Amino acid sequence: VRPTGTRRWKRVKLPGAFYRLQEHYSLPAAELRKMLICNKGILVILVLIVAVSGIMKERNFVYTDVEQYVNAFYDRYEGPLKDEVYQYIESESQYIEDTYEEYEKTYQAYQDGEIDKFALYRAEAELKQAKIAEEGLQKIGKEIERAEELDRERDIQISLMNHTGYDMLLGTVGKATQRNIIVLCLLGMVLMFSGNLRYEENSKITGLLRSTAKGRRELLHAKEMAAFAVMVLIACISYGVQIYCTAGQYGLPDVTAPVQSIAILHSFPLKFSILTYMAGVFIIRCVLYILITDLLLHLSVLVDQKIIIAAFLAIVVIPVMTGQSVAAIDKVSCY
């Protein structure tokens, strides 16, 4: 009995496709195994996770009384600009005005001996809160003016939000932290990729592989595929840990809002969501990491791993640790 089309596909085509995949991708898989296991790549990645988590947890952003007032406003009115916001501003403005007037009356009554000093202290405490609210309303007012301007001139309805987390993750406030994490990622890449031919050299087969053009080409391509896969894994881990820690410490509200909702990106020309912008930052870093990875792979053919590591420490790590910023890394950390 002749098998049906479905059975024939299962019996003939699927094993054939499987063997072809195995034939084409067995060498990159072997290179991936050497990078992660033989060259201790898994250990480097685990250390990287711990180090990035430690760097992110060391950041302690202390909020002033005014910032706490503004953050409380955002927690209550987060989202597009609504009428309730204007009502809140009017109510708080009236409270501030009444408090100033009440303090003037209380102070005059104290001067006239009509009340004791404890009543004056209570009035001064209330006045202090009113001044905090007044300064906070000034910051909120600027944000509202920015929202109205974007809506009027560019038809972009931003979301009012506490963007401290985004400032830490994408802005100049967290630039030093981003720079240190990028240096850590680069160091991990140097440790794993700069010695990519060490395994072949130790096995005494480098000369044999280099004796034919096919051997050189296929080996290098396999190493590139494996290295790029590891590099994307490193980028995902480092960026993922940053996002997780930042969201836990400061919050990353409303990632679907326009990217102009973040004050530092007020003049961004394109209508992107915050999530799209963050994805773009990740892609840009991946592209830069790919270029560096490819450079390391080609350098390792000509230069010993110890020399590459020593050069990286002298050119990048030591200047960053001593506070002498590297311009190229600072530029990358701004993305």
Side-chain angles (χ1 to χ4, degrees):
V1 180
R2 187 174 182 177
T4 62
T6 304
R7 290 182 178 178
R8 183 169 54 186
W9 184 84
K10 288 182 178 179
R11 292 180 179 179
V12 179
K13 292 185 177 180
L14 185 59
F18 175 77
Y19 288 128
R20 284 195 296 272
L21 286 173
Q22 187 180 32
E23 177 183 355
H24 285 86
Y25 295 102
S26 58
L27 186 56
E31 293 298 327
L32 185 62
R33 177 182 177 277
K34 284 190 288 185
M35 287 182 184
L36 293 178
I37 299 177
C38 299
N39 291 342
K40 306 297 188 299
I42 293 179
L43 178 60
V44 174
I45 292 175
L46 291 176
V47 172
L48 181 65
I49 294 174
V50 175
V52 173
S53 300
I55 290 175
M56 297 298 295
K57 291 179 180 179
E58 283 181 358
R59 300 184 308 177
N60 294 317
F61 191 87
V62 180
Y63 294 102
T64 63
D65 293 335
V66 175
E67 289 168 338
Q68 291 179 8
Y69 177 89
V70 174
N71 291 340
F73 164 81
Y74 287 140
D75 291 340
R76 184 175 179 181
Y77 296 101
E78 180 182 307
L81 193 59
K82 299 178 181 179
D83 292 337
E84 290 83 352
V85 174
Y86 294 104
Q87 295 173 4
Y88 173 83
I89 298 296
E90 184 178 354
S91 174
E92 287 294 285
S93 299
Q94 187 63 47
Y95 156 73
I96 294 170
E97 183 178 348
D98 293 343
T99 302
Y100 273 99
E101 291 179 357
E102 186 64 27
Y103 176 77
E104 290 294 335
K105 294 178 182 179
T106 303
Y107 181 77
Q108 187 61 43
Y110 176 75
Q111 292 292 333
D112 296 338
E114 298 175 2
I115 60 174
D116 58 16
K117 62 180 179 180
F118 296 104
L120 179 63
Y121 292 160
R122 287 192 295 268
E124 288 176 345
E126 189 67 26
L127 179 64
K128 181 180 178 181
Q129 294 300 318
K131 288 182 177 179
I132 292 172
E134 184 179 25
E135 189 174 346
L137 284 183
Q138 291 176 357
K139 292 188 175 184
I140 294 170
K142 292 180 181 178
E143 190 72 9
I144 292 174
E145 290 176 2
R146 188 169 70 89
E148 293 173 340
E149 177 186 353
L150 285 170
D151 189 13
R152 181 177 59 255
E153 297 181 359
R154 300 177 58 185
D155 193 27
I156 298 176
Q157 296 181 347
I158 67 172
S159 178
L160 300 177
M161 65 173 68
N162 177 9
H163 40 72
T164 303
Y166 293 115
D167 291 340
M168 288 290 185
L169 191 63
L170 304 171
T172 56
V173 176
K175 184 173 69 173
T177 300
Q178 297 297 321
R179 181 183 62 219
N180 294 338
I181 291 174
I182 290 173
V183 170
L184 275 176
C185 291
L186 294 178
L187 179 59
M189 292 161 61
V190 168
L191 292 174
M192 282 191 289
F193 304 146
S194 62
N196 75 94
L197 290 180
R198 181 176 58 185
Y199 187 87
E200 287 78 7
E201 291 176 355
N202 293 340
S203 301
K204 308 300 181 182
I205 62 173
T206 303
L208 178 62
L209 291 171
R210 291 179 177 177
S211 63
T212 63
K214 183 177 180 181
R216 292 194 299 269
R217 184 174 61 253
E218 289 192 0
L219 178 63
L220 185 58
H221 288 174
K223 287 183 180 295
E224 285 179 337
M225 293 177 63
F228 292 165
V230 175
M231 181 278 307
V232 172
L233 178 62
I234 291 175
C236 289
I237 289 174
S238 64
Y239 205 47
V241 171
Q242 292 177 63
I243 292 174
Y244 176 80
C245 293
T246 302
Q249 287 181 283
Y250 309 105
L252 296 174
D254 198 2
V255 294
T256 61
V259 72
Q260 290 81 6
S261 301
I262 306 173
I264 58 174
L265 298 174
H266 165 68
S267 58
F268 191 75
L270 303 177
K271 292 184 179 181
F272 283 166
S273 68
I274 296 175
L275 184 61
T276 303
Y277 182 85
M278 293 172 64
V281 171
F282 173 75
I283 292 173
I284 290 174
R285 290 189 182 182
C286 280
V287 171
L288 295 174
Y289 287 165
I290 285 175
L291 296 176
I292 295 171
T293 299
D294 197 51
L295 175 63
L296 289 171
L297 289 175
H298 285 82
L299 280 178
S300 64
V301 178
L302 305 173
V303 183
D304 185 73
Q305 182 187 27
K306 295 179 180 179
I307 297 177
I308 296 177
I309 294 175
F312 179 79
L313 293 175
I315 297 173
V316 178
V317 177
I318 293 177
V320 170
M321 291 180 64
T322 56
Q324 300 174 1
S325 301
V326 180
I329 296 177
D330 281 344
K331 187 173 292 186
V332 174
S333 65
C334 290
Y335 287 105

